């Protein structure tokens, strides 16, 4: 009788080891598939970042509302792309709230995004801050955006602007 019990226990042990092995293989395969899907969804620019933990556009809007002139906040958020520098992709504007946009530049002028990037979503990671933008810079940006001479000439006052210096950018691929 003892021999049958021993054989039965050995059989159960082998069976349970096989199930644990299959579960870990399945978990590994699932993680690998999710990683490949994440890589396929986003095009990456600048430093390597992930979309995990990104704030929503509502959360980043609230964060900017709490900033004072001279404050910075290191954050990551996702928002729709409104505009990109048509000249070389050296900046973009992201929509974060009712007619509120964040002007995004890229750290050390070290990378650019495609100039035809519009109507998509971006995840950016870096520093959020407020800045008063001079008339000259506003005109330069308007020129980069392809605005008419009349629209550029109509810029006569500096503006307080929500700014962001991105270390890395992810843009959702089509």
């Amino acid at each position: 009788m003892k021999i049958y019990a021993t054989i039965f226990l050995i059989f159960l042990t082998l069976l349970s080891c096989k199930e644990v092995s299959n579960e870990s293989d399945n978990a590994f395969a699932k993680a690998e598939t999710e990683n490949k899907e994440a890589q396929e969804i986003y095009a990456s620019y600048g430093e390597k970042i992930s979309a995990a933990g990104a704030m929503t556009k509502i959360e980043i809007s609230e964060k900017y509302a709490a900033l004072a002139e001279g404050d910075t906040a290191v954050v990551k958020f996702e928002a729709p792309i409104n505009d990109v520098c048509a000249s070389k992709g050296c900046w973009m504007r992201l929509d974060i709230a009712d007619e509120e946009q964040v002007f995004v530049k890229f750290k050390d002028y070290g990378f650019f995004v495609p100039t035809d990037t519009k109507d998509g979503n971006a995840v950016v990671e870096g520093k959020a801050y407020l800045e008063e933008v001079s008339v000259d810079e506003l005109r330069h940006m308007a020129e980069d955006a392809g605005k008419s001479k009349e629209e550029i000439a109509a810029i006569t006052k500096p503006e307080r602007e929500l700014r962001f210096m991105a270390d890395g950018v992810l843009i959702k691929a089509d």
Side-chain angles (χ1 to χ4, degrees), residues 153-166:
I155 299 170
T156 59
K157 291 192 275 185
E159 292 179 9
R160 186 168 178 254
E161 191 167 57
L162 307 180
R163 291 285 181 113
F164 195 85
M165 184 59 67

Side-chain angles (χ1 to χ4, degrees), residues 2 24 29 33 37-38 64 68 70 74 83 96 98 108 129 133 137 154:
K2 279 186 170 182
S24 65
T33 300
E37 287 173 0
Y64 270 106
V74 176
D83 200 11
I96 63 165
D98 299 326
D108 298 328
Y129 59 100
V133 184
E137 187 174 352

Side-chain angles (χ1 to χ4, degrees), residues 68-99:
E69 193 83 31
D71 289 349
T72 61
V74 176
V75 295
K76 176 176 18 175
F77 70 95
E78 181 172 3
I81 301 168
N82 277 354
D83 200 11
V84 173
C85 171
S87 177
K88 55 185 160 183
C90 58
W91 56 261
M92 65 182 171
R93 290 187 185 277
L94 302 179
D95 174 33
I96 63 165
D98 299 326
E99 297 187 33

Side-chain angles (χ1 to χ4, degrees), residues 13-107:
T13 303
L14 291 174
L15 185 62
S16 67
C17 287
K18 173 122 177 97
E19 287 178 18
V20 169
S21 175
N22 284 342
E23 286 175 12
S24 65
D25 288 347
N26 288 342
F28 178 75
K30 182 179 178 184
E32 191 173 67
T33 300
E34 287 173 356
N35 190 30
K36 284 181 182 176
E37 287 173 0
Q39 289 174 356
E40 291 171 8
I41 292 174
Y42 294 101
S44 180
Y45 304 91
E47 289 182 16
K48 195 169 196 97
I49 65 170
S50 79
M55 299 169 80
T56 66
K57 66 184 211 167
I58 293 168
E59 291 169 326
I60 193 63
S61 179
E62 291 169 354
K63 187 69 144 178
Y64 270 106
L67 287 178
E69 193 83 31
D71 289 349
T72 61
V74 176
V75 295
K76 176 176 18 175
F77 70 95
E78 181 172 3
I81 301 168
N82 277 354
D83 200 11
V84 173
C85 171
S87 177
K88 55 185 160 183
C90 58
W91 56 261
M92 65 182 171
R93 290 187 185 277
L94 302 179
D95 174 33
I96 63 165
D98 299 326
E99 297 187 33
E100 192 171 40
Q101 297 182 59
V102 174
F103 181 76
V104 180
K105 288 184 175 181
F106 310 117
K107 186 178 179 184

